[in-house]
Amino acid sequence: MSHIASHAAKKGGFISGPHLSLDKVLVVASILIPLVCLLLFFGYPLYIVLIRSLTLPDGTLGLVNYAQVFSNATLVSATLNSLVLSAMTMLISLLLGFAIAYRLERTSAKGRAFVTVALALPLLAPSLVQGLGLIFIFGRNGLINQWFGISINPYGFYGLLMANILYALPQVVLIIQAALRQSDARLYEAAGVMGATNWEKFRDITLPNAKFGLISAGFVAFTVTITDFGNAAVIGGDFRVLATEIYNQVAGQMNFSMGAVVGILLLIPTVVAVGVERFAARKQSASASESAIPVQPDTNTWRDVLLGALTHSCSAMIYLVIGVTVFASFVDLWPYRMELTLRHYNISMAGGYTPLWMSLWISLLAASLGVVLIFLMAVSMKKLPAQIGRIVNFIAIMPVGVPGLVLGLAYILAFNTGGPLTLLYGTPLLIGLCNLYHYHSQGFLTMMTGLRGVPVSLEDTCTCFGGGMKETLRDAVFPFMLTTCIAVFFFLFMRSMVSLSAVIFLITPSINVAPVAIMQLSDAGRISEAAAFSTCLMLLVVTAMLLLRWLIKKVPSPDKRS
């Protein structure tokens, strides 16, 4: 670490004259503070999980715990269930996601806003909301059974598969859309001149150009499914998966060593999936041409009708699942007494609305700390030697491959076993840090993308006029990065508000958060109150999203600001 600091202090020609001392301090601080925090609140807890998974009851290290897992039929079954469920979710999400993305990007059919809003809804709520909605629709007291007398069991593999598809589909569509936008219209024109049919253009141009986007989207769906805890906890029933087994081992049996082993097992396929996804994303980006001419949407009646019907059906299902959850929160007794009432919003169990305000405070903490630390780490990357910069970049994006449950378990083992760091346990700050490093990678990649838009000539101009790092950041970098910083702040805030798996182990009798409170209400059979709490949480997150859009529109461009 001192090696990094010494290189960083020497790097950059602007460190001269009266700014020498201050610039050295700023450069070293901008590198060391975020890096130390990343190692302390991400690297160290994961190291503790690994050691705990190898620790035997007598204190020695060995692989006996892993041998016990592989000899445990229940855990082996949960592992296979997770892999099968994730693979099925990936396959179906890819098929549906490609159809929806193609319809949005390559056809001139109307109703785009209807689909876009539907795809945004699952991202604004905890994953368990999909499970709640499916229970209201297909459960024993659901609409299907009450209206049509058709008994459908939503619990188990098929209900969990549907909930996970609804949760993963928006992310899949966004990635495939981005891949389709990178196609060059000139390729299609050349193929048309050579007499290629529409099917041949699709087979020989569209699919090959989008293949890395499809791979990336598929592994995102796989990762989201195998790491999800919310839907599995609400609608999984007797269908065991790795995420619920970690929770059962730790919260149910207080078997931290076995929980650590299952966490490491969950980490392995996730890391592999994330590695493949990042490789595919880089390949897709590298294949894009800046001079490419966008493909214009065309009209094909039968294709547009079929894709439109499929797209609007999927969108309607998302609206139905979310809408029924919101509507049920206002119904007196679902589905028998459908009179509207606010009595379910008078929540007394699980601390009332205290977890909601605690989530708000924790999310503000996570977003505020995150945007400062990530900004400092991003701007310091330019001062590092290329080899060290690649190492820091790798460390910064590592959290994306760690499931929330594993990170939450790591925090228990690292910050609740004695030592000075134990003072953080049971505080909103620690939960905020857990949420921050759960979503650190996405924030860092967004910040690095925004940083590439800062003109190098402007930084050079500040240097020529005698400005040090403080002046360069204030007058050149930050004005161009303001919109990106606002976007990263709200991203961390909104994801922290709906995060469940990363914080499920960190709540205490005095500190609870909204997603966990929703799960507790559902477990207690108070499903209408859980729907009411979910509605309040979604309302807060939607308000934050609208505020983000308003702020971005209000922020003047750097040239106008200057």
Side-chain angles (χ1 to χ4, degrees):
M1 198 170 294
S2 60
H3 179 62
I4 295 175
S6 63
H7 272 281
K10 295 175 184 177
K11 183 87 171 171
F14 65 81
I15 302 180
S16 60
H19 297 286
L20 178 61
S21 179
L22 177 60
D23 283 345
K24 278 187 176 181
V25 172
L26 288 175
V27 171
V28 172
S30 66
I31 296 170
L32 288 187
I33 293 176
L35 189 57
V36 167
C37 289
L38 182 60
L39 294 175
L40 183 61
F41 295 106
F42 174 73
Y44 170 68
L46 286 186
Y47 168 76
I48 295 298
V49 167
L50 177 61
I51 294 299
R52 188 61 179 264
S53 71
L54 298 170
T55 302
L56 305 181
D58 60 1
T60 59
L61 299 180
L63 298 175
V64 175
N65 293 331
Y66 287 88
Q68 291 179 353
V69 166
F70 289 114
S71 63
N72 187 316
T74 299
L75 293 177
V76 171
S77 174
T79 302
L80 295 176
N81 287 346
S82 292
L83 294 174
V84 171
L85 178 67
S86 300
M88 288 294 294
T89 302
M90 177 178 69
L91 178 62
I92 297 174
S93 297
L94 272 180
L95 293 174
L96 294 177
F98 185 84
I100 295 172
Y102 193 91
R103 190 264 179 194
L104 293 174
E105 292 297 319
R106 297 294 177 85
T107 73
S108 55
K110 297 180 180 180
R112 186 185 185 92
F114 177 83
V115 179
T116 302
V117 173
L119 293 175
L121 290 177
L123 303 176
L124 303 177
S127 62
L128 53 80
V129 170
Q130 280 72 229
L132 288 176
L134 292 176
I135 292 174
F136 282 121
I137 297 171
F138 298 107
R140 185 179 59 184
N141 294 323
L143 294 178
I144 300 297
N145 192 17
Q146 294 299 316
W147 290 357
F148 304 105
I150 301 175
S151 179
I152 300 175
N153 180 16
Y155 299 95
F157 174 80
Y158 292 104
L160 193 51
L161 176 64
M162 185 179 295
N164 284 327
I165 290 171
L166 293 176
Y167 188 59
L169 190 60
Q171 301 174 66
V172 170
V173 172
L174 289 174
I175 295 172
I176 299 177
Q177 273 188 276
L180 291 175
R181 289 192 197 108
Q182 294 175 356
S183 295
D184 194 335
R186 291 171 295 189
L187 295 174
Y188 292 88
E189 293 174 1
V193 170
M194 297 175 65
T197 63
N198 288 334
W199 164 249
E200 289 171 335
K201 292 177 185 179
F202 178 80
R203 183 193 63 196
D204 299 332
I205 301 175
T206 302
L207 287 179
N209 285 347
K211 64 181 177 181
F212 291 114
L214 289 168
I215 294 172
S216 179
F219 279 97
V220 164
F222 183 91
T223 304
V224 165
T225 302
I226 202 169
T227 62
D228 178 66
F229 175 73
N231 282 324
V234 171
I235 205 171
D238 295 330
F239 187 77
R240 296 177 178 270
V241 293
L242 280 175
T244 52
E245 281 307 305
I246 294 177
Y247 183 76
N248 291 335
Q249 290 292 331
V250 175
Q253 304 178 35
M254 299 303 289
N255 190 342
F256 290 96
S257 294
M258 197 60 65
V261 173
V262 179
I264 295 296
L265 293 179
L266 180 60
L267 188 61
I268 293 172
T270 306
V271 169
V272 172
V274 168
V276 173
E277 185 274 328
R278 295 307 307 163
F279 173 80
R282 286 195 300 269
K283 285 289 187 180
Q284 184 68 47
S285 178
S287 65
S289 172
E290 293 183 359
S291 61
I293 298 175
V295 179
Q296 297 301 317
D298 59 359
T299 301
N300 182 307
T301 303
W302 284 108
R303 181 201 63 189
D304 293 351
V305 168
L306 291 174
L307 290 181
L310 178 63
T311 299
H312 282 78
S313 297
C314 293
S315 301
M317 188 63 192
I318 295 175
Y319 279 116
L320 179 62
V321 169
I322 303 293
V324 163
T325 303
V326 174
F327 180 68
S329 69
F330 295 101
V331 171
D332 185 39
L333 182 61
W334 183 273
Y336 304 105
R337 295 199 301 268
M338 303 296 282
E339 295 85 3
L340 299 183
T341 179
L342 292 175
R343 72 182 184 88
H344 300 304
Y345 285 82
N346 184 23
I347 300 172
S348 57
M349 183 183 169
Y353 284 103
T354 301
L356 185 63
W357 310 128
M358 181 59 69
S359 285
L360 185 63
W361 168 234
I362 288 172
S363 300
L364 288 172
L365 267 177
S368 301
L369 289 172
V371 76
V372 172
L373 292 172
I374 294 172
F375 176 78
L376 289 176
M377 176 168 280
V379 298
S380 71
M381 294 291 288
K382 287 188 175 183
K383 314 302 176 187
L384 294 174
Q387 186 175 1
I388 296 177
R390 284 192 292 269
I391 295 174
V392 174
N393 184 79
F394 175 77
I395 297 173
I397 65 174
M398 275 183 61
V400 73
V402 178
L405 274 174
V406 177
L407 189 61
L409 174 61
Y411 268 51
I412 291 182
L413 300 177
F415 302 113
N416 193 30
T417 54
L421 294 177
T422 303
L423 295 174
L424 291 172
Y425 190 78
T427 65
L429 176 60
L430 188 65
I431 299 178
L433 288 168
C434 185
N435 282 330
L436 162 58
Y437 287 105
H438 186 202
Y439 299 107
H440 182 277
S441 304
Q442 297 92 323
F444 176 77
L445 292 172
T446 303
M447 197 72 77
M448 290 297 293
T449 301
L451 190 61
R452 295 189 190 102
V454 179
V456 177
S457 58
L458 193 58
E459 297 184 57
D460 293 339
T461 301
C462 289
T463 302
C464 291
F465 280 96
M469 184 175 182
K470 182 181 72 173
E471 290 77 18
T472 302
L473 291 179
R474 183 190 64 200
D475 301 329
V477 177
F478 188 71
F480 277 87
M481 293 285 291
L482 181 57
T483 300
T484 302
C485 289
I486 293 173
V488 170
F489 176 90
F490 277 95
F491 167 77
L492 292 173
F493 174 82
M494 289 188 288
R495 298 314 300 165
S496 180
M497 284 292 294
V498 301
S499 177
L500 171 64
S501 59
V503 301
I504 185 68
F505 292 132
L506 300 180
I507 62 169
T508 66
S510 60
I511 295 181
N512 198 2
V513 293
V516 177
I518 295 170
M519 189 188 76
Q520 291 170 338
L521 289 168
S522 175
D523 289 345
R526 306 177 78 160
I527 193 168
S528 294
E529 291 186 14
F533 212 128
S534 299
T535 302
C536 293
L537 178 57
M538 286 188 285
L539 182 61
L540 273 177
V541 178
V542 169
T543 302
M545 185 186 69
L546 295 176
L547 180 59
L548 165 63
R549 298 186 64 177
W550 179 81
L551 282 175
I552 289 179
K553 289 181 180 179
K554 288 295 182 181
V555 172
S557 60
D559 55 332
K560 292 181 180 180
R561 208 161 30 240
S562 58

